[in-house]
Amino acid sequence: MSRRGWALFLAMSLIWGIPYLLIKVAVEDLSPVVVVFGRCVLGAALLLPWTVARGQLRPALRRWRPLLLFTVLEMTGPWLLLAYAEQTLSSSLTGLLVAGVPFVAALAARLVGEEERLGRVRLAGMGLGVVGIAVLLGLDVEGVGLLPLLAIALVVVGYATAPLVVSRALPDVPGVAASAIALTVTAAVYAPFAVPQLDDAARAPGEALVAVLVLGVVCTAVALALFFALIREVGPQRALVITFLNPAVAVLLGVLLLDEPFTLGLAVGLPVIVLGCVLATRRSPVRTTRSELTDVDAAVP
């Protein structure tokens, strides 16, 4: 990847490693609907005025059909399902399960005719990433209900296919504009269910309210703008490899900020994950044959 690609990649790995912990804190005292509504309102409040001021709202709305599909796949469905699942699942296990996104993305890309190659080196990198996460966190699903696992499976499908919508159907829509519209639509969808609960939510502990605030400002408004830039810089499949580092970031935050123990699994698993990410994000060589002139790696500047 380019230097800009690596900078965006590392920023997104950090920013989207935080939400699993924040959601876990928030749903201890707030309903999943209120959590999703709150983060969407905050995100839209930041991004929508910017979109209007730059004159991008009306042109973006002309692509309302793919925008609506992106909204459902990236926000409206997954965010509620994540909040629901984390009422019973740990944030670490949730992050581990979501790390399956790149594999589903690769399958989805093949099904829709995406031309990006997944060579042996990149596949090996993905495999190392999964192994590293398993070592890092451990896979302990004993006693976990089926419905939360199904919810995370749907989240994985949504996160894996949403970037394909961006790259294939929304290449000319600015990321901030698309994000602002998606956040506004999602907030409107959940408003009838969340607004009646706001009085009770206002009396929630400060930790829960701060968690929603950070989710809305940093992990939603800022992160979505960066994520669109990352997709256009490195391609949809490679962008999703951030899901390998997200669980590692969550664990590191626990060690650094919450005084959680630095385990052997962390010491061994984290380097394996980093190596897997380096290999999985490696740019495939550009070939000059006619059949490969449309390869995504060749098209990305």
Side-chain angles (χ1 to χ4, degrees), residues 107-255:
L107 176 60
R110 289 298 180 185
L111 291 176
V112 300
E114 194 76 25
E115 294 296 331
E116 185 171 3
R117 295 188 305 274
L118 291 175
R120 293 180 179 179
V121 173
R122 293 183 60 194
L123 287 173
M126 288 185 173
L128 279 177
V130 171
V131 170
I133 292 171
V135 171
L136 176 65
L137 302 175
L139 184 59
D140 183 11
V141 297
E142 183 178 357
V144 174
L146 178 61
L147 288 180
L149 294 178
L150 290 176
I152 296 301
L154 291 175
V155 170
V156 169
V157 172
Y159 281 172
T161 52
L164 289 174
V165 176
V166 173
S167 63
R168 294 172 64 88
L170 300 170
D172 56 340
V173 176
V176 171
S179 300
I181 294 170
L183 289 167
T184 303
V185 170
T186 301
V189 168
Y190 289 117
F193 309 99
V195 170
Q197 304 180 46
L198 292 183
D199 287 341
D200 293 335
R203 293 190 288 271
E207 293 84 354
L209 299 178
V210 171
V212 174
L213 177 64
V214 177
L215 275 171
V217 175
V218 178
C219 303
T220 300
V222 174
L224 283 169
L226 293 178
F227 188 50
F228 271 89
L230 179 63
I231 290 173
R232 293 193 170 105
E233 179 72 18
V234 304
Q237 292 181 31
R238 193 177 285 109
L240 288 172
V241 179
I242 60 172
T243 55
F244 284 144
L245 278 182
N246 293 159
V249 170
V251 173
L252 283 174
L253 290 175
V255 171

Side-chain angles (χ1 to χ4, degrees), residues 14-88:
L14 174 61
I15 293 174
W16 272 353
I18 300 172
Y20 302 111
L21 297 177
L22 296 177
I23 292 171
K24 187 67 177 179
V25 171
V27 296
E28 291 292 331
D29 299 287
L30 300 171
S31 72
V33 169
V34 170
V35 173
V36 176
F37 177 74
R39 71 181 295 188
C40 288
V41 167
L42 289 168
L46 292 173
L47 297 185
L48 192 59
W50 185 6
T51 300
V52 173
R54 294 169 65 94
Q56 296 174 344
L57 181 61
R58 185 171 296 180
L61 287 174
R62 297 192 185 112
R63 311 298 301 275
W64 68 269
R65 288 184 178 87
L67 267 176
L68 183 60
L69 179 59
F70 167 77
T71 300
V72 172
L73 293 173
E74 183 71 25
M75 299 181 196
T76 311
W79 288 0
L80 183 65
L81 292 169
L82 271 177
Y84 161 75
E86 288 208 48
Q87 289 180 309
T88 54

